[in-house]
Amino acid sequence: MNKRAIARVTAAAVATALPLSVISVLGTGAAVAGEALTTAAQSETGDGRPASDFRDAATVNDPFPTRAAAEQRNYVEESKAAWRDYVYQAEDGSNEAEQATWKAGDRYKRMEERLVHSEAMNRDIPIVTIRARDDHANAPTIYLLNGADGGEGAANWLRQTNAVDFYGNQIGNVNVVIPMEGAFSYYTDWEQPNATLDKGGKKQAWETFLVQELPGPMESALGTSNPNRSIIGMSMTGSTTLVYGEKYSGFYDSIGAYSGCAATSGEAARTVDIVLDRGNATYEQMWGDRNGAVALENDALANAADLKDQHNVYVSSSTGLMGEHDVPSGDRLNGFLPGSITPAVEGGAIEAVTNVCTHMLKSKTDAAGITRESNNLVYNFRNTGTHQWGYWQDDMFDSWPTISEGLFPGNGAEAVRQRDAGKADYLQKNPGMGARGSTPVSSLIPLQESVSDALAEQYGEAAE
């Protein structure tokens, strides 16, 4: 098989956010202290930007008081709502001892499930929020996007990371908003309908929903007057957040893109096909001709120069070589030897390709003069690591100084302290043996070179 053929085959695996067998080993507690406020949804933007910036206002309902109330509404399939385990207390009452006034089925304090209606898509969407513990009236908002399964399966921020504890307790003065639908959608506006993914509504319009419909009403419902907001994505949505930064420069005050492939059009559309195949959808349904205008508009690599007006951007990728989260001696597998197979075979190949994409992106932003000095554009290239949640949790910590600079300008020293404290707390609770047990897979190097050649041919520049 020649180098171009290898690139085509392997690039098809990029950006999938696979629910790897290794990612189901963390059971983070979702309980956080503090009272939740319940305010009715309002149509004002509440962020200092004109209401005309929002084409349609989403309807944000009050949070469900209990799991039973949410299930009775029956607006989301229960089989795709396992994330509720991290929003509501255990039905068997096993955790009531933590707080004598809690009752089984009630929601954890400051954890909320809200039904949000999108006018653009004419459908009800589940949103989970982590309410700010401190000074909620002045708390900025972080929008966390899940990967390819949209949070409908096991691969979501609540189950696979300690985001609840990090943002909710260790930082404490931010609101977090997590959509729990949107599988295989790239959180973009689709050109054509798809009977499965539309879920009975109009054709998907996630970009319209997330950028135009949701922020004003949601932030008003959260009761904050702080106009600052961030958006963070990983794998599939790592490319989405970059596109948002290019199209809507400054709408988000900071952006995180973890292990995404910025290249999505033309030959690189093969990196998208595998995601859409899992959702019984096609590239043409989403963006039309893969060399057409809509496809190019949504290619973050092709439009890298448009990041010139976006500040506080963190972009990461690993090499695909097995690292501390992939080995049985590490913090994720708890000694489970077979768990290393999936990250070594699948996760390594996927991350090797995203690594090439991310180096290509850096080459283009460097050429455009978009740097750490000019824009606080920070790249984190790890020497080891595969395509899995352990590294995205690392990114959650490592990106915080960059994300925080947009939310709390000039708060750098405190952000570094919070980052380090978050890491230390996690490692204390999940020690593992770290990289001492790593087994690098050197065969990925030719793979990276092949993909680099293919992307360079399309985009006209070599990766670093």
Side-chain angles (χ1 to χ4, degrees), residues 18-28 86 154-163 234 322-340 343 385-397 426-427 429-435:
L18 293 172
L20 303 178
S21 61
V22 300
I23 64 178
S24 298
V25 299
L26 263 187
T28 55
Y86 301 91
N156 61 68
W157 285 101
L158 299 183
R159 178 167 180 172
Q160 303 302 337
T161 75
N162 68 342
M234 33 63 63
M322 289 181 69
E324 60 183 319
H325 300 302
D326 305 305
V327 294
S329 57
D331 59 307
R332 305 283 294 186
L333 296 181
N334 297 320
F336 183 60
L337 179 61
S340 287
T386 64
H387 199 73
Q388 64 116 320
W389 281 93
Y391 301 100
W392 303 328
Q393 175 162 279
D394 288 347
D395 283 323
M396 181 181 70
F397 300 137
Y426 173 78
L427 289 174
K429 295 173 181 175
N430 305 273
M433 291 176 60

Side-chain angles (χ1 to χ4, degrees), residues 116-424:
V116 178
H117 183 78
S118 166
E119 290 293 332
M121 293 187 280
N122 191 28
R123 62 189 273 190
D124 296 331
I125 297 165
I127 302 283
V128 169
T129 63
I130 306 168
R131 297 296 300 274
R133 180 194 62 206
D134 306 323
D135 195 16
H136 68 268
N138 296 301
T141 306
I142 298 174
Y143 293 84
L144 281 183
L145 301 184
N146 290 300
D149 81 347
E152 298 176 25
N156 61 68
W157 285 101
L158 299 183
R159 178 167 180 172
Q160 303 302 337
T161 75
N162 68 342
V164 172
D165 189 41
F166 182 61
Y167 292 122
N169 284 332
Q170 294 164 10
I171 296 172
N173 57 345
V174 295
N175 293 307
V176 179
V177 176
I178 314 174
M180 285 299 185
E181 274 190 350
F184 317 119
S185 70
Y186 272 84
Y187 291 96
T188 189
D189 288 356
W190 284 50
E191 291 295 289
Q192 301 172 24
N194 177 280
T196 302
L197 300 182
D198 294 347
K199 297 196 174 182
K202 301 175 184 176
K203 67 182 180 182
Q204 296 185 98
W206 288 100
E207 182 179 314
T208 295
F209 173 67
L210 289 170
V211 179
Q212 296 186 36
E213 292 189 313
L214 181 64
M218 175 57 74
E219 290 160 26
S220 292
L222 290 170
T224 181
S225 61
N226 192 319
N228 295 344
R229 65 174 67 90
S230 297
I231 191 165
I232 297 171
M234 33 63 63
S235 193
M236 178 187 81
T237 56
S239 61
T240 303
T241 57
L242 289 170
V243 169
Y244 286 6
E246 293 166 353
K247 289 185 178 181
Y248 309 101
S249 299
F251 181 77
Y252 299 102
D253 298 282
S254 49
I255 289 174
Y258 310 158
S259 292
C261 183
T264 55
S265 68
E267 187 71 21
R270 296 174 183 274
T271 66
V272 178
D273 287 336
I274 188 110
V275 179
L276 300 179
D277 285 347
R278 292 171 61 199
N280 296 315
T282 68
Y283 190 101
E284 288 69 28
Q285 287 177 324
M286 186 168 73
W287 287 329
D289 187 329
R290 53 193 65 206
N291 293 296
V294 175
L296 289 172
E297 285 174 8
N298 290 284
D299 187 313
L301 183 57
N303 299 290
D306 290 340
L307 285 173
K308 65 184 183 299
D309 295 321
Q310 177 65 55
H311 288 75
N312 309 310
V313 181
Y314 172 98
V315 186
S316 71
S317 180
S318 302
T319 58
L321 304 180
M322 289 181 69
E324 60 183 319
H325 300 302
D326 305 305
V327 294
S329 57
D331 59 307
R332 305 283 294 186
L333 296 181
N334 297 320
F336 183 60
L337 179 61
S340 287
I341 297 173
T342 301
V345 177
E346 295 179 351
I350 295 169
E351 194 68 14
V353 180
T354 66
N355 187 255
V356 173
C357 293
T358 306
H359 276 89
M360 291 287 289
L361 180 69
K362 186 176 188 303
S363 178
K364 283 189 167 287
T365 53
D366 284 351
I370 307 168
T371 64
R372 182 190 289 261
E373 292 71 26
S374 67
N375 292 67
N376 196 26
L377 170 57
V378 177
Y379 286 93
N380 182 8
F381 292 104
R382 288 181 287 266
N383 292 327
T384 61
T386 64
H387 199 73
Q388 64 116 320
W389 281 93
Y391 301 100
W392 303 328
Q393 175 162 279
D394 288 347
D395 283 323
M396 181 181 70
F397 300 137
D398 291 337
S399 67
W400 179 240
T402 306
I403 298 299
S404 178
E405 184 59 30
L407 300 178
F408 305 101
N411 198 37
E414 175 63 9
V416 169
R417 186 199 67 77
Q418 291 169 326
R419 175 199 65 191
D420 294 344
K423 283 185 175 183

